[in-house]
Amino acid sequence: MTLQQFLFILRARYKVALLTLLVIVTSTVIVSLMLPKQYTSSAAVVVDVKSPDQVSGLMLQGMVAPGYMATQVDIINSDRVAKAVVKLLHMDESAVVRQQWTDSTQGKGQLIDWLANSLQKKLDVKPSKESNVININYTGTNPEFSAAVANAFAQAYINVNVDLRVSPAKEYAAFFEEQTKAARDRLEIAQKTLSEFQQKNGITTTDERLDYETTKLNETSSLLTAVQGQTTDSQSKRQNAKADTVSEVMQSPLINGLKADIARLEAKLTESNVNLGKNHPQTLRTEAEVATLKAKLGAETNKITTSIETTYQVSKQREQQLQSALGGQKARVLALNKLRDELNVMHRDIESAQHTFESVSQRASQTTIESKTTQTNITVLNPASVPADPSKPRVLLNILASVFLGTLMGVGLALMLELANRRVRSIDDLLEALDLPVLGSICSAGGMFKRITN
């Protein structure tokens, strides 16, 4: 279909198109004037996603996530917020509203659910594209009620948001309170175990006692080494076959004096034997003196060797005593080391229990504070006000839309009528209908012929 054919059709059936346009525009105007006026009230809330948490002071990463604002919109549109609005406005306490619910649902379901669903149908939540502001729009037939509902949705959203933060904190607080009690019990048990262990073993300061016993062990070991040296020396002396070669004998002044006297008397005796003869009284007296001195020398030497034997026996006995004492001292030091190790384990248990108790107690205090907070990161930016002009119906916009729709439908109806009853209105129509060459046409205006050649 060419533009000329289309224009010919519209010219021929313009009455149908105009009638259709007139009917649609008239109907739209009548319906728009008959529809009840509706008023839209808007409340704006701002969501602070950059400030740290008021209690913990930490920046919550979830607030800056791309889906955070979408989540807030879903919360506002949720049934929980709508039910909170019903409670705030006391709508479920109205006898008129209850009667409307009974007439609408025959008493099936819950009144608060029916009211929440009714409010949600007229709610429109729109977040700003490049800011953290959320607009809460509510449309109703009563301007005061619309403003009240919009403000109630804003307040209910803030209350629900606080509750969403506080509810987990309350559960965490109860959990950490139990853990704090358990940690305190473990700490008390560890401290009691340490105290009982110290009392049982008579321990005050293990390190000082261990140092004392270790020093005593070292002294005993040194003394034993010295005594063993003395025993070895005494043993070597007592095993010596020649007593007069023993150092104590050789170094004794008395023995050395006796030896000198004997040597002197022996020299005198030799001289007497030569000069006076063996039977001379002086010679005999000198022999007697020599014999007496030698007996005395033997006695003194015997005393020294006997003392060496005694010293050996005493040293041997002392060595055995010191070895026994050393063994006992080693046992005491080892026992103290074991006690110290056990005490160190108990001290570490106490330190671990103390650290756990402090950590859990601190977390419990923080969650307890969080569970009692009434603050949130949401603030009402602009409360809803009572609208002065209705938002619906928009008569001018409806008329413009009806003009466009009526024109479109009028043209469509004219084309449908033309297709149902096709007429020849131009040379092109004749060519399409007969598929024969046109030799000429008669113009209705001037009655003149027009030759058409192929």
Side-chain angles (χ1 to χ4, degrees):
M1 180 181 295
T2 62
L3 178 60
Q4 185 178 11
Q5 290 176 316
F6 178 71
L7 294 176
F8 282 152
I9 293 173
L10 289 181
R11 186 179 65 180
R13 300 186 182 275
Y14 73 92
K15 294 182 180 180
V16 174
L18 289 177
L19 180 61
T20 302
L21 174 61
L22 182 60
V23 170
I24 291 176
V25 172
T26 303
S27 301
T28 301
V29 172
I30 293 174
V31 171
S32 298
L33 294 177
M34 293 180 62
L35 286 175
K37 294 181 180 181
Q38 296 188 14
Y39 297 85
T40 300
S41 186
S42 178
V45 295
V46 59
V47 182
D48 185 8
V49 299
K50 295 182 179 181
S51 298
D53 185 75
Q54 294 90 344
V55 177
S56 63
L58 300 177
M59 182 64 188
L60 301 180
Q61 298 298 326
M63 290 186 179
V64 296
Y68 181 75
M69 294 300 294
T71 302
Q72 302 307 307
V73 172
D74 292 338
I75 292 175
I76 299 175
N77 287 317
S78 65
D79 294 339
R80 184 172 179 176
V81 173
K83 292 178 182 180
V85 171
V86 174
K87 293 294 184 180
L88 286 174
L89 298 178
H90 306 285
M91 296 177 62
D92 54 337
E93 300 175 3
S94 174
V96 177
V97 173
R98 186 173 293 275
Q99 184 62 41
Q100 292 176 353
W101 167 68
T102 303
D103 296 339
S104 176
T105 63
Q106 286 76 42
K108 297 179 181 180
Q110 297 294 328
L111 172 61
I112 191 171
D113 295 334
W114 179 75
L115 289 173
N117 186 39
S118 300
L119 293 177
Q120 287 174 322
K121 291 179 180 179
K122 300 179 181 180
L123 179 67
D124 183 23
V125 182
K126 294 181 178 180
S128 300
K129 293 183 178 180
E130 297 181 356
S131 67
N132 299 324
V133 177
I134 300 177
N135 295 308
I136 303 175
N137 304 315
Y138 184 81
T139 302
T141 56
N142 189 319
E144 290 81 6
F145 181 74
S146 298
V149 172
N151 288 325
F153 263 100
Q155 185 60 46
Y157 165 54
I158 295 175
N159 296 340
V160 169
N161 190 276
V162 171
D163 190 55
L164 289 175
R165 295 182 58 192
V166 170
S167 296
K170 289 181 178 179
E171 297 179 1
Y172 290 148
F175 170 77
F176 282 113
E177 186 66 26
E178 295 179 358
Q179 296 301 314
T180 301
K181 293 180 180 179
R184 185 186 296 109
D185 293 339
R186 288 194 295 269
L187 178 60
E188 291 177 354
I189 291 173
Q191 292 175 339
K192 184 178 179 181
T193 302
L194 176 61
S195 178
E196 292 178 350
F197 183 80
Q198 289 177 332
Q199 292 178 1
K200 180 180 178 181
N201 295 276
I203 299 174
T204 53
T205 54
T206 310
D207 292 336
E208 292 181 2
R209 183 177 176 185
L210 179 61
D211 292 341
Y212 169 75
E213 296 294 341
T214 303
T215 303
K216 189 175 180 181
L217 175 64
N218 294 332
E219 292 176 353
T220 305
S221 178
S222 300
L223 186 58
L224 176 61
T225 302
V227 171
Q228 286 176 340
Q230 293 177 1
T231 303
T232 303
D233 182 63
S234 299
Q235 185 178 8
S236 64
K237 290 179 181 179
R238 67 189 287 271
Q239 291 177 352
N240 192 351
K242 296 181 178 181
D244 56 350
T245 60
V246 177
S247 61
E248 283 81 355
V249 176
M250 296 177 65
Q251 295 175 0
S252 174
L254 179 58
I255 292 177
N256 290 331
L258 290 174
K259 286 182 179 181
D261 292 339
I262 291 172
R264 181 177 54 76
L265 288 176
E266 284 181 347
K268 184 179 180 181
L269 179 61
T270 301
E271 183 181 353
S272 293
N273 286 331
V274 174
N275 295 328
L276 300 176
K278 293 183 179 180
N279 296 320
H280 192 275
Q282 185 175 354
T283 303
L284 294 176
R285 188 173 55 253
T286 303
E287 287 179 353
E289 291 179 358
V290 170
T292 301
L293 290 176
K294 285 184 177 181
K296 191 174 182 181
L297 176 61
E300 292 297 330
T301 303
N302 188 38
K303 287 181 180 180
I304 293 176
T305 55
T306 302
S307 67
I308 291 174
E309 179 67 23
T310 303
T311 302
Y312 169 75
Q313 295 298 332
V314 172
S315 298
K316 194 67 177 178
Q317 185 179 3
R318 180 61 175 164
E319 180 182 349
Q320 293 176 355
Q321 293 175 352
L322 289 174
Q323 286 180 346
S324 177
L326 182 63
Q329 191 65 26
K330 285 182 178 180
R332 284 192 293 272
V333 171
L334 291 175
L336 284 176
N337 283 328
K338 183 178 179 181
L339 291 176
R340 183 180 64 176
D341 294 339
E342 293 180 3
L343 284 175
N344 289 335
V345 172
M346 294 179 183
H347 281 299
R348 285 194 292 269
D349 291 341
I350 291 176
E351 291 175 359
S352 177
Q354 181 72 29
H355 178 70
T356 302
F357 172 72
E358 291 176 355
S359 299
V360 176
S361 178
Q362 182 179 2
R363 192 70 179 92
S365 299
Q366 183 177 354
T367 53
T368 301
I369 295 174
E370 291 177 357
S371 65
K372 296 179 180 179
T373 183
T374 57
Q375 298 178 348
T376 182
N377 62 324
I378 302 168
T379 307
V380 176
L381 182 62
N382 295 319
S385 58
V386 178
D389 300 322
S391 59
K392 295 178 181 179
R394 300 179 180 179
V395 179
L396 180 60
L397 182 61
N398 292 342
I399 291 175
L400 294 177
S402 66
V403 170
F404 174 77
L405 182 61
T407 302
L408 188 63
M409 293 184 63
V411 172
L413 182 61
L415 292 176
M416 291 177 61
L417 292 175
E418 183 67 21
L419 292 176
N421 187 12
R422 195 76 170 89
R423 300 290 182 90
V424 177
R425 302 186 186 282
S426 65
I427 297 175
D428 294 333
D429 294 337
L430 188 60
L431 288 173
E432 291 179 2
L434 301 178
D435 195 18
L436 294 174
V438 177
L439 300 178
S441 62
I442 301 175
C443 182
S444 60
M448 299 178 63
F449 293 97
K450 181 180 180 183
R451 185 178 297 274
I452 301 175
T453 60
N454 292 334

